Amino acid sequence: MIASALARLRESLGEDAVLTADSALERYLIDERRLYHGRAAAVLRPRTTEEVALAVRVCAEARIAMVPQGGNTGYCGGATPDESGREVVISLERLRQIRALDAQGFTLTAEAGVTLAELQQAAAAGRRLFPLSMGSEGACQLGGVLSTNAGGLAVLRYGTARELVLGLEVVLPDGQIWRGLSALRKDNTGYDLKQCFLGAEGTLGIITAAVLKLFPQPGTRETAWVGVPDLAAACELLSRLREALGDSVTSFEFLSAASLALVLARDPDAAPPFAGAPGFVLLEVSGSAHETLRDALTQALLNAMEAGLIGEVAIAQNETQRRAFWRLREGIPLAEKALGGSIKHDVSVPISALANLAERASDGIRAHWPRARLSVYGHIGDGNLHFNVLAPEDCPAEAFKAQHADAISDLVHGAASALAGSFSAEHGVGKLKRDLLHQTESPLAIDLMQRIKRALDPAGLMNPGKLVG
């Protein structure tokens, strides 16, 4: 059955759109963190929405399970096939068109295989801003970004991926195409169907294109590196800055001294303006051309300094310095990876509970694993903390993770849950956290999700084993 279906697909899509050789498949079968290594009967590489629909129809008729895949940069195994070798991966990497840019309407219509960096560049070419930004933006693709409801560095001002979408085009599990590429800001005609697919991780259909919201390019932007005594002080600084500067506060990132030390040990060219504080805030404010933010930011930081809330401050004087500041923040995941990786936690709580979360989790780790190393950082402007645990210096990383990861994650996730938080702030559920979702969500919530899944994908062929399936 699989062989005949692949023969049909080769005839319809072309030989180069149906990969079966082991050497050609390998890069599609391993997730970004190398937690999962699956097998697949084939990788399908359609070029258009219509070809995606054809591929899905053929697979559905043959009862072949499908795994949609974008840039394959996810952290939870949501785009990795299982080990059976009977699933097919449907890669969206060849859906590469920017279909339209409406500068007057502040919208951009693009296909699922366009990278996040390319979306930003296309918007900038039209003198507009697409604000979604993250470390993987050069590789992650629009379809995957929307399917995981990615967050990133500017959620504080602009929201997560789902808040930046006006319309979607989706291939449903039976091969029908829902053409919902509306650019309307107001459309109160029934259920908001696009929300079914945003954050659904490809379990309900395959996003092939989207209409995205754009914003004015900021005329001015100021970036500051601030020393803080602890996470509680960072949260209070955020509150004061938002009160003083309003929605111009765009990004607000926290780095522990330990996280910064990992970056500096790996990257000798990284150069913080100062590095002697217990913690650091990297913040950015932006506004229109007629606004002068530097004076307002400087005054707000001086007020915080006089109140004993912060220590040293450095404000970037040019784009080179700004990039140097961000290099410190964006270098943390690479620094952890160079040490063999960490036990990662992508948790969120109300901002007022962030310091409590860090304290509870840190105390618990030190009580049970006193020599483990902590890397605590994140987008605290939206309550998202990355609380990562690395092996002791004299312990092999893989052995430590294999022996202790489950217990450590139970502790951290339990601390977040006790503070009305979430175990997945921006990286999704995928395969890695599927069981945790069932353990932490209410039975009614799981039942509602499964009803939606059965309604749209009754055969259970769309990305099985992920999220709720």
Side-chain angles (χ1 to χ4, degrees), residues 306-325:
E306 290 172 358
L309 195 63
I310 64 176
E312 289 185 81
V313 173
I315 298 178
Q317 300 301 305
N318 50 50
E319 181 63 17
T320 299
Q321 289 186 358
R322 174 183 174 271
R323 290 179 182 274
F325 289 3

Side-chain angles (χ1 to χ4, degrees), residues 146-167:
L146 300 185
S147 293
T148 55
N149 185 32
L153 303 171
V155 171
L156 172 60
R157 181 167 183 176
Y158 297 105
T160 61
R162 73 168 67 246
E163 296 169 81
L164 300 173
V165 177
L166 292 170

Side-chain angles (χ1 to χ4, degrees), residues 338-409:
L339 293 172
S342 62
I343 303 169
K344 294 182 180 293
H345 305 98
D346 168 39
V347 292
S348 64
V349 294
I351 293 172
S352 59
L354 274 168
N356 193 347
L357 168 66
E359 182 178 6
R360 287 189 185 203
S362 297
D363 288 349
I365 297 299
R366 293 189 183 108
H368 294 90
W369 301 274
R371 295 188 303 114
R373 293 171 288 174
L374 301 182
S375 178
V376 181
Y377 65 100
H379 322 296
I380 67 168
D382 50 62
N384 179 193
L385 195 66
H386 298 305
F387 189 98
N388 296 346
V389 182
L390 290 87
E393 290 189 19
D394 59 351
C395 178
E398 291 305 319
F400 181 80
K401 288 188 288 186
Q403 184 174 358
H404 302 294
D406 289 346
I408 287 174
S409 293

Side-chain angles (χ1 to χ4, degrees), residues 73-405:
T73 61
Y75 277 6
C76 298
T80 307
D82 66 16
E83 296 77 27
S84 70
R86 298 185 60 81
E87 297 180 341
V88 300
V89 173
I90 300 182
S91 170
L92 284 302
E93 63 189 354
R94 297 171 92 178
L95 274 69
R96 305 276 302 137
Q97 297 298 311
I98 302 288
R99 294 188 185 175
L101 191 152
D102 180 356
Q104 187 176 55
F106 283 80
T107 66
L108 174 69
T109 304
E111 293 182 344
V114 180
T115 67
L116 188 51
E118 290 167 340
L119 292 170
Q120 296 165 355
Q121 292 160 10
R127 298 171 58 193
R128 298 293 180 259
L129 172 71
F130 184 61
L132 200 61
S133 177
M134 60 194 72
S136 62
E137 59 194 30
C140 65
Q141 298 170 12
L142 176 60
V145 165
L146 300 185
S147 293
T148 55
N149 185 32
L153 303 171
V155 171
L156 172 60
R157 181 167 183 176
Y158 297 105
T160 61
R162 73 168 67 246
E163 296 169 81
L164 300 173
V165 177
L166 292 170
L168 286 180
E169 178 182 83
V170 181
V171 174
L172 300 176
D174 61 2
Q176 293 188 82
I177 303 171
W178 175 54
R179 301 189 188 275
L181 288 175
S182 171
L184 298 177
R185 302 276 174 157
K186 298 174 75 173
D187 181 8
N188 205 6
T189 53
Y191 300 134
D192 189 356
L193 294 177
K194 67 179 180 292
Q195 294 298 339
C196 290
F197 305 99
L198 297 169
E201 302 187 33
T203 61
L204 302 179
I206 301 176
I207 295 172
T208 53
V211 182
L212 306 169
K213 296 179 185 177
L214 301 182
F215 297 83
Q217 281 278 4
T220 183
R221 178 169 55 193
E222 302 291 346
T223 307
W225 178 264
V226 182
V228 292
D230 50 35
L231 185 53
C235 293
E236 177 61 21
L237 175 63
L238 170 64
S239 178
R240 291 185 180 216
L241 287 178
R242 295 190 73 186
E243 183 176 343
L245 302 173
D247 285 340
S248 65
V249 184
T250 304
S251 299
F252 197 93
E253 302 285 310
F254 174 79
L255 301 79
S256 65
S259 294
L260 178 61
L262 296 179
V263 175
L264 299 182
R266 174 188 172 272
D267 184 358
D269 294 325
F274 55 86
F280 305 89
V281 164
L282 173 57
L283 67 92
E284 198 155 89
V285 298
S286 61
S288 59
H290 67 272
E291 293 178 311
T292 304
L293 285 176
R294 177 166 293 231
D295 290 346
L297 175 61
T298 300
Q299 187 59 56
L301 292 173
L302 283 173
N303 293 342
M305 191 178 294
E306 290 172 358
L309 195 63
I310 64 176
E312 289 185 81
V313 173
I315 298 178
Q317 300 301 305
N318 50 50
E319 181 63 17
T320 299
Q321 289 186 358
R322 174 183 174 271
R323 290 179 182 274
F325 289 3
W326 278 105
R327 179 174 181 166
L328 300 169
R329 164 61 181 85
E330 292 169 354
I332 299 174
L334 292 174
E336 293 179 1
K337 189 174 183 178
L339 293 172
S342 62
I343 303 169
K344 294 182 180 293
H345 305 98
D346 168 39
V347 292
S348 64
V349 294
I351 293 172
S352 59
L354 274 168
N356 193 347
L357 168 66
E359 182 178 6
R360 287 189 185 203
S362 297
D363 288 349
I365 297 299
R366 293 189 183 108
H368 294 90
W369 301 274
R371 295 188 303 114
R373 293 171 288 174
L374 301 182
S375 178
V376 181
Y377 65 100
H379 322 296
I380 67 168
D382 50 62
N384 179 193
L385 195 66
H386 298 305
F387 189 98
N388 296 346
V389 182
L390 290 87
E393 290 189 19
D394 59 351
C395 178
E398 291 305 319
F400 181 80
K401 288 188 288 186
Q403 184 174 358
H404 302 294

